[in-house]
Amino acid sequence: MGFDVDIAKAVFDEELGMDHEFKETSFDGIIGSLNNGNFRVIMSAMTINDTRAQKVDFSDPYFTAYQTVIVLKDGGISSKEDLKGVNVGVQKGTTGEGAAGKLKDEFGGDLTIKHYDQITGAFNALLTNQVQAVINDNTVNAKFANEKDNVVFLQGEGAAADAGQNAPPYLTLTVENYGIAFRQDDDDFRTKVNGALANIKDNGRYDEIYGSYFEG
Amino acid sequence: MSDAYGDHETHEETAGSGIVDNDNVLRRVGEVLSSSFALLVLAMLAWIVTTQVNPELLQTIFPRFVEAYLLVIQIVVVSSILSVFLGVFVGLGRISNSPITNRIASGYVEFFRGTPLLFQLFLIYLGIPRLWATGTFPLTNWEVPAAIIGLTLNHGAYVGEAVRGGIGAVPDGQMEAARSLGMSRVMGMRKVVLPQAWRNALAAIGNDQIILVKDTSLLTVIAVPEIMSVFRNVNSTTLDAWTPLLWVALFYLAITVPMSKLVQYLESRADWGGERH
């Protein structure tokens, strides 16, 4: 997403004076690729979690995201309970997939999850009646809901409210922090990047980028 | 080139061809080579299974692979039967005297053999529901019908070509003989040519049906929870590659090996019939 690209530019080009290049890769093999040396860091809206932290080291969080649910405006789903028994779309290998799995457990298995290679596949499935809801990060979901008049966020209180955070108006299934992933033997570089992240948060550059994507 | 060098070369060549000429020695050499290859592979497998495979995970993911395996079998059985059925008609269309039927059948084969199955699956799964207004497509679990339609249409083209080839390999005299006995062209085709064509086409059709099994791995991109999908899911959540890979190999072979035995059996039955005539 564009936010990652601009934060990367601010951290690597502007703060550390380093050249960088983005490599397109599929998300479900991305950690293996990092450890194989195909690239030096992962900056791809990756959520910090324990499973991943066993294989990679994370920087300080540079973004907080929520797992959210989008539905069709007139699709007859207006609360979390309405999701019981329906099909939901997720992207393979994402935390949205994990959040959907937890929701399925919560419903005692009464939920069908369809796993798509790309999130666009899940969005497409929402429009073609293959799934009745898509579970994904709030930012990506928001972009799609803004583009499509008949796609809306499922409303309700959730994990963000439970965590006592300044909760968004829509239902949040989980709260996640995004980090930059490093190979585990790359500590010096990680420290430098953490410093650069702290700098752009202090000098207003971070807010400037954040504002250009998520507000206004 | 000196004479001495020339002599030397001739000498070596004679010795070499002497060994190669000896059937028994060559047979032993072949046995040694293939056995060492097999040993090497077995040793590697043993090493991978003991060092890379997590037995606990192997057990916990087993039911998920069984579920995917059963789904794949259902898809394969339906698509296989439909594609052979369709293929017979496509093959007959390809040898039709009518230029209309003939061209339509050729166009069909050119399209479904000439474009990737992946494209065809996207066309059916993503394209067709878009012809309806947002959220109004009537079939909600479209991925399984879409998979069956895609595999059937694609493999119908290949089976059609195998059937056409099988019919082409039956000598013209067979039809002429049938005609001279007073049979119509259709009857001669049914009673005389097709039974022989079937035997000719069997190997190619069997081969194609085994490819159909492996083609189900593409269904992961249209959200069918088949074997590769389970692998990718396990791999991305546990970051373990070899444990789920082992199941993938075993479950695919559990479909394709019996299938190839079945094809062998059908072929041997057809050959046996051939010798009796």
Side-chain angles (χ1 to χ4, degrees), chain A residues 28 51 92-93 97 115, chain B residues 54 57-58 60-65 226-245 247-248:
Chain A
D28 58 358
T51 323
K92 287 172 186 160
E97 192 178 44
H115 309 259
Chain B
N54 175 349
L57 183 64
L58 206 61
T60 50
I61 60 179
F62 179 70
R64 297 177 58 192
F65 275 101
E226 48 67 69
I227 296 172
M228 286 312 291
S229 296
V230 175
F231 163 74
R232 294 176 70 186
N233 187 278
V234 172
N235 177 243
S236 74
T237 48
T238 63
L239 305 172
D240 184 333
W242 280 107
T243 311
L245 277 175
W247 280 137
V248 172

Side-chain angles (χ1 to χ4, degrees), chain B:
Chain B
M1 229 185 259
S2 75
D3 280 349
Y5 185 74
D7 281 344
H8 182 65
E9 200 173 55
T10 324
H11 170 74
E12 264 212 344
E13 207 173 83
T14 336
S17 62
I19 287 177
V20 175
D21 277 346
N22 188 327
D23 284 351
N24 223 4
V25 172
L26 192 63
R27 183 193 154 108
R28 294 278 171 260
V29 170
E31 281 172 356
V32 168
L33 280 177
S34 54
S35 312
S36 16
F37 174 74
L39 274 177
L40 190 76
V41 170
L42 284 176
M44 258 181 70
L45 261 178
W47 179 72
I48 284 168
V49 169
T50 48
T51 61
Q52 303 291 312
V53 170
N54 175 349
E56 217 172 291
L57 183 64
L58 206 61
Q59 266 187 356
T60 50
I61 60 179
F62 179 70
R64 297 177 58 192
F65 275 101
V66 171
E67 212 175 301
Y69 171 76
L70 294 175
L71 176 67
V72 168
I73 290 208
Q74 288 170 32
I75 291 174
V76 165
V77 167
V78 178
S79 324
S80 198
I81 292 170
L82 291 177
S83 69
V84 171
F85 198 70
L86 174 67
V88 172
F89 286 97
V90 172
L92 289 173
R94 291 279 276 131
I95 56 145
S96 167
N97 283 334
S98 153
I100 300 175
T101 315
N102 192 308
R103 283 195 192 134
I104 291 174
S106 306
Y108 175 84
V109 170
E110 291 305 342
F111 182 79
F112 283 99
R113 204 179 51 175
T115 57
L117 177 57
L118 190 59
F119 156 79
Q120 292 158 18
L121 290 171
F122 278 137
L123 183 81
I124 297 162
Y125 182 69
L126 297 177
I128 288 177
R130 278 303 183 98
L131 303 174
W132 273 257
T134 297
T136 62
F137 185 66
L139 297 167
T140 197
N141 289 305
W142 178 234
E143 68 274 7
V144 174
I148 290 171
I149 294 169
L151 290 168
T152 300
L153 293 178
N154 183 274
H155 286 274
Y158 286 98
V159 173
E161 283 302 278
V163 169
R164 184 185 64 100
I167 293 171
V170 176
D172 292 345
Q174 295 290 323
M175 177 57 97
E176 281 158 20
R179 297 285 282 148
S180 70
L181 285 173
M183 291 189 195
S184 67
R185 207 172 112 84
V186 173
M187 199 177 179
M189 185 57 79
R190 242 182 54 207
K191 300 273 185 195
V192 179
V193 177
L194 277 184
Q196 301 178 64
W198 179 248
R199 198 160 67 213
N200 296 334
L202 203 55
I205 293 174
N207 205 19
D208 177 69
Q209 296 303 303
I210 288 170
I211 295 176
L212 186 150
V213 173
K214 297 184 289 178
D215 278 349
T216 61
S217 61
L218 291 175
L219 304 178
T220 179
V221 300
I222 59 165
V224 175
E226 48 67 69
I227 296 172
M228 286 312 291
S229 296
V230 175
F231 163 74
R232 294 176 70 186
N233 187 278
V234 172
N235 177 243
S236 74
T237 48
T238 63
L239 305 172
D240 184 333
W242 280 107
T243 311
L245 277 175
L246 188 66
W247 280 137
V248 172
L250 291 176
F251 276 104
Y252 276 117
L253 290 173
I255 309 176
T256 53
V257 170
M259 263 179 93
S260 90
K261 292 276 177 252
L262 177 70
V263 173
Q264 267 172 29
Y265 168 72
L266 290 175
E267 273 185 85
S268 70
R269 235 181 53 151
D271 279 348
W272 179 80
E275 276 160 23
R276 281 291 168 107
H277 277 298

Side-chain angles (χ1 to χ4, degrees), chain A residues 18 42 70 86 127 130 140 154 156 161 174 182 188 197 209:
Chain A
M18 295 172 79
I42 298 170
I70 53 167
V86 306
L127 300 181
Q130 298 308 302
V140 183
L154 185 59
T174 59
F182 297 83
D188 287 348
L197 270 175
I209 296 169

Side-chain angles (χ1 to χ4, degrees), chain A residues 7 9 14 21-22 29 33-34 50 56 59 78 97 99 101 111 116 133-134 140 146 150 164-165 170 199 203 205:
Chain A
I7 292 289
K9 211 179 275 173
E14 294 166 20
E21 183 193 339
F22 277 90
S33 260
L34 173 75
D50 292 343
V56 296
S59 70
S78 55
E97 192 178 44
L111 185 75
Y116 293 89
V134 172
V140 183
N146 285 339
N150 46 5
Q165 290 197 359
Y170 39 75
N199 270 351
N203 67 20
R205 184 81 183 100

